[in-house]
Amino acid sequence: MPPVIIRPAASPDLLEIGALWYEKVILLQQLDARFTPRPDAQSRFIQVATNWLDAPDTMIFVAIRDEQVGGFTVVHIQPGWPGLLPEQQGVVTQLVVDAHGQPGGIGRLLLDTVREWLTGQGIRQIIVHVPQRFAIEQAFWRASGAADWMDILWLTL
């Protein structure tokens, strides 16, 4: 099996990242109809991700195998809750692995890279956005040491 290289994303990666992200959104929509992608969802994601490439508080890492993006993660540094420690925390909003690719620990390699980057920034806490109906992702994060902290509730007006 070819090696996996984890590196910061670059502009040429964004089309593949956008395609992987959109595939996950479609799956999420099938599991939970509240997730409704816009007709231009993929291009809008790529547009926002383009801005993240230059943001000092955000990193996108890609996993490359056979010169293809086999997964990616997006991590932001944000302020902690006012008056509480830690003052800053890492937030993983995306960790996506190509479901059609070869197995081989891409998710773990991406998480290890996120941990290393955040530690280098002095961050010691990670918050993760994981849809409740994504059992495999839930299991991955729990196996990585994540625990329930707070429920996010959805209210439609």
Side-chain angles (χ1 to χ4, degrees):
M1 183 172 357
V4 175
I5 298 167
I6 307 294
R7 62 166 172 75
S11 293
D13 301 319
L14 292 179
L15 286 177
E16 288 180 88
I17 289 170
L20 288 175
W21 173 84
Y22 188 71
E23 186 174 313
K24 180 180 175 180
V25 167
I26 294 303
L27 178 58
L28 187 54
Q29 181 188 30
Q30 292 169 357
L31 296 172
D32 189 335
R34 294 175 293 183
F35 289 90
T36 307
R38 298 169 49 105
D40 60 347
Q42 187 171 340
S43 64
R44 290 176 73 94
F45 178 82
I46 291 170
Q47 181 180 15
V48 171
T50 299
N51 295 332
W52 288 336
L53 292 177
D54 295 322
D57 61 349
T58 299
M59 281 298 292
I60 304 173
F61 293 105
V62 291
I64 305 294
R65 179 185 282 154
D66 287 332
E67 300 181 24
Q68 301 271 334
V69 174
F72 74 96
T73 188
V74 178
V75 58
H76 308 274
I77 296 174
Q78 72 176 29
W81 287 40
L84 299 178
L85 293 174
E87 293 183 9
Q88 291 186 309
Q89 54 199 5
V91 180
V92 175
T93 57
Q94 301 290 325
L95 194 151
V96 180
V97 175
D98 184 356
H100 310 290
Q102 301 173 1
I106 286 177
R108 172 78 46 219
L109 291 170
L110 287 166
L111 176 55
D112 290 346
T113 303
V114 164
R115 283 180 166 151
E116 184 178 314
W117 181 72
L118 288 171
T119 299
Q121 307 298 311
I123 306 296
R124 302 281 185 259
Q125 183 180 58
I126 300 174
I127 295 171
V128 183
H129 294 197
V130 186
Q132 287 182 335
R133 296 183 182 175
F134 271 30
I136 293 172
E137 284 191 30
Q138 290 278 342
F140 169 81
W141 286 106
R142 290 178 197 288
S144 299
D148 290 337
W149 175 52
M150 181 179 294
D151 288 331
I152 297 175
L153 306 177
W154 186 304
L155 178 65
T156 302
L157 303 178

